[in-house]
Amino acid sequence: MLVEIEQLIVFTVPHLNPPSTNHIYETCYYNGRDGAAHRGKKLTPEVKAFREAVAIFARGRSVAPLSNSERRKVRYGVRIDVYLGPNARGDFDNFWKSGLDALQACGVIHSDNYVDGEESRCVVHKDERHDPRTMYTVTRLEPKC
């Protein structure tokens, strides 16, 4: 898959809001290499669906540099606008974390550690049209000298 590197990416994920960080993982049981049963955790179907939707609407675009030396220097500006549907509620911190994880999972950014706190924010809106959606604006910032 050929990834096109851009400076600015804007896209909308219709009908979905980022899942709460309280519901990212669910408990699962598995048999380990030692043959014993272990308890672990896995992503919930809700989180998987949201990450897949972000990947679909991002369309393979990325602002992340290809070389590791450039990745250490780059910063990202991210704005996430969450429009809640009727009777929906949520905390912007939860939306922020889930939203950034989805961007990283689909390759729009290489790591959420490089998101610039001064150039980034999450805004939660009550939508009058009853049309829940999540809008992303991701910018590759020039390195500070």
Side-chain angles (χ1 to χ4, degrees), residues 1-9 11 58 60-78 100 102-115 137-143:
M1 182 172 107
L2 181 63
V3 177
E4 181 182 338
I5 308 303
E6 301 180 31
Q7 290 294 113
L8 173 69
I9 297 175
F11 64 95
R61 296 178 293 168
S62 178
V63 295
L66 296 176
S67 71
N68 285 334
S69 61
E70 287 183 42
R71 287 183 174 197
R72 285 190 284 271
K73 299 175 193 171
V74 74
R75 305 299 281 169
Y76 305 112
V78 178
L100 287 180
L103 286 177
Q104 183 176 338
C106 73
V108 173
I109 61 175
H110 78 281
S111 173
D112 58 4
N113 289 333
Y114 292 89
V115 173
T137 304
V138 185
T139 308
R140 181 175 167 179
L141 304 172
E142 294 302 318

Side-chain angles (χ1 to χ4, degrees), residues 75-78 96 115-121 141 144:
R75 305 299 281 169
Y76 305 112
V78 178
W96 179 247
V115 173
D116 190 329
E118 295 177 1
E119 298 289 330
S120 303
R121 66 184 183 171
L141 304 172
K144 296 179 181 175

Side-chain angles (χ1 to χ4, degrees), residues 38-110:
H38 298 277
R39 187 170 79 174
K41 52 186 178 173
K42 64 179 182 177
L43 292 174
T44 62
E46 179 185 11
V47 171
K48 288 180 184 178
F50 183 76
R51 288 183 179 185
E52 288 172 6
V54 170
I56 288 168
F57 290 101
R59 297 182 187 155
R61 296 178 293 168
S62 178
V63 295
L66 296 176
S67 71
N68 285 334
S69 61
E70 287 183 42
R71 287 183 174 197
R72 285 190 284 271
K73 299 175 193 171
V74 74
R75 305 299 281 169
Y76 305 112
V78 178
R79 179 180 168 116
I80 303 174
D81 287 293
V82 178
Y83 292 86
L84 298 175
N87 301 323
R89 59 187 184 146
D91 182 14
F92 82 95
D93 287 335
N94 289 334
F95 293 143
W96 179 247
K97 174 72 173 125
S98 295
L100 287 180
D101 288 346
L103 286 177
Q104 183 176 338
C106 73
V108 173
I109 61 175
H110 78 281

